[in-house]
């Protein structure tokens, strides 16, 4: 069984080919006994679930939540998670910390005033979890653990 008590043995999981979830599923299929079907687009992977070609569809939490808002009569969102510690980020030139910091500060203010949480709920139909990136202001600038991260402390200057 998966760590959540769910037995996936014999089930087919649809995924977007080349995604982090596809990689995880390919690496864990034998361990948990499920079959992996990878599709060129997330929409095709969701269609496989809706048509019965797959038992489970796996994608990012916001992608899955958005898919459910479009097909709520046919699919539902499960709260099973595979946390690999991966994050999404925007790229900036290495010599332009000023712009990176300004963009990060603006996003932090949108987190602090609740704008991102409201957008999350509007578009995905669910509130972000308390420690989700949509509501968490992280220390420093850039992604901790990646090249370019600056651990310097700062407070967002929201006006």
């Amino acid at each position: 069984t998966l760590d959540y008590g769910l037995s996936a043995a014999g089930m087919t999981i649809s995924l977007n080919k080349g995604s982090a979830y596809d990689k995880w599923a390919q690496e864990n299929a034998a361990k948990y006994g499920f079959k992996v079907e990878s599709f060129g687009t997330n929409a095709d992977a969701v269609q496989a679930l809706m048509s019965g070609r797959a038992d489970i569809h796996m994608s990012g939490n916001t992608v899955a939540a958005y898919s459910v808002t479009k097909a709520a009569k046919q699919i539902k969102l499960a709260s099973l998670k595979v946390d690999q510690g991966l994050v999404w980020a925007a790229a900036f030139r290495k010599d332009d910390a000023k712009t990176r910091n300004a963009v990060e500060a603006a996003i932090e203010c949108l987190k602090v005033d609740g704008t991102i949480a409201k957008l999350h709920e509007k578009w995905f139909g669910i509130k972000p979890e308390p420690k989700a990136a949509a509501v968490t202001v992280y220390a420093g600038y850039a992604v901790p653990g990646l090249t370019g991260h600056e651990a310097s402390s700062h407070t967002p200057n929201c006006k």
Side-chain angles (χ1 to χ4, degrees):
T1 62
L2 294 167
D3 297 335
Y4 311 101
L6 169 73
S7 176
M11 292 186 171
T12 298
I13 299 178
S14 66
L15 304 112
N16 190 353
K17 185 180 222 83
S19 67
Y21 315 99
D22 186 32
K23 181 178 187 248
W24 179 89
Q26 298 288 349
E27 291 172 352
N28 287 279
K31 178 180 178 180
Y32 295 116
F34 55 76
K35 181 181 173 191
V36 176
E37 288 288 335
S38 303
F39 295 85
T41 68
N42 190 66
D44 289 340
V46 171
Q47 284 295 323
L49 174 65
M50 292 169 53
S51 69
R53 291 177 51 204
D55 303 294
I56 301 167
H57 168 67
M58 182 183 280
S59 62
N61 61 340
T62 54
V63 173
Y66 184 75
S67 297
V68 169
T69 67
K70 297 300 175 194
K73 291 181 181 178
Q74 297 165 294
I75 60 176
K76 65 182 178 179
L77 189 62
S79 60
L80 303 175
K81 296 180 189 140
V82 176
D83 187 357
Q84 296 178 300
L86 300 174
V87 296
W88 299 102
F92 294 90
R93 289 191 332 263
K94 288 183 179 183
D95 65 349
D96 195 3
K98 181 179 178 182
T99 300
R100 178 204 61 201
N101 294 355
V103 170
E104 185 158 338
I107 292 170
E108 289 172 347
C109 289
L110 294 171
K111 291 178 181 185
V112 169
D113 75 6
T115 298
I116 292 179
K118 288 175 190 169
L119 289 169
H120 188 286
E121 191 167 359
K122 175 183 177 180
W123 288 103
F124 308 129
I126 56 173
K127 291 182 179 182
E129 294 183 19
K131 293 184 180 181
V135 295
T136 303
V137 175
Y138 298 100
Y141 290 100
V143 179
L146 295 183
T147 302
H149 176 253
E150 291 179 20
S152 59
S153 178
H154 69 278
T155 302
N157 184 13
C158 307
K159 297 176 184 178

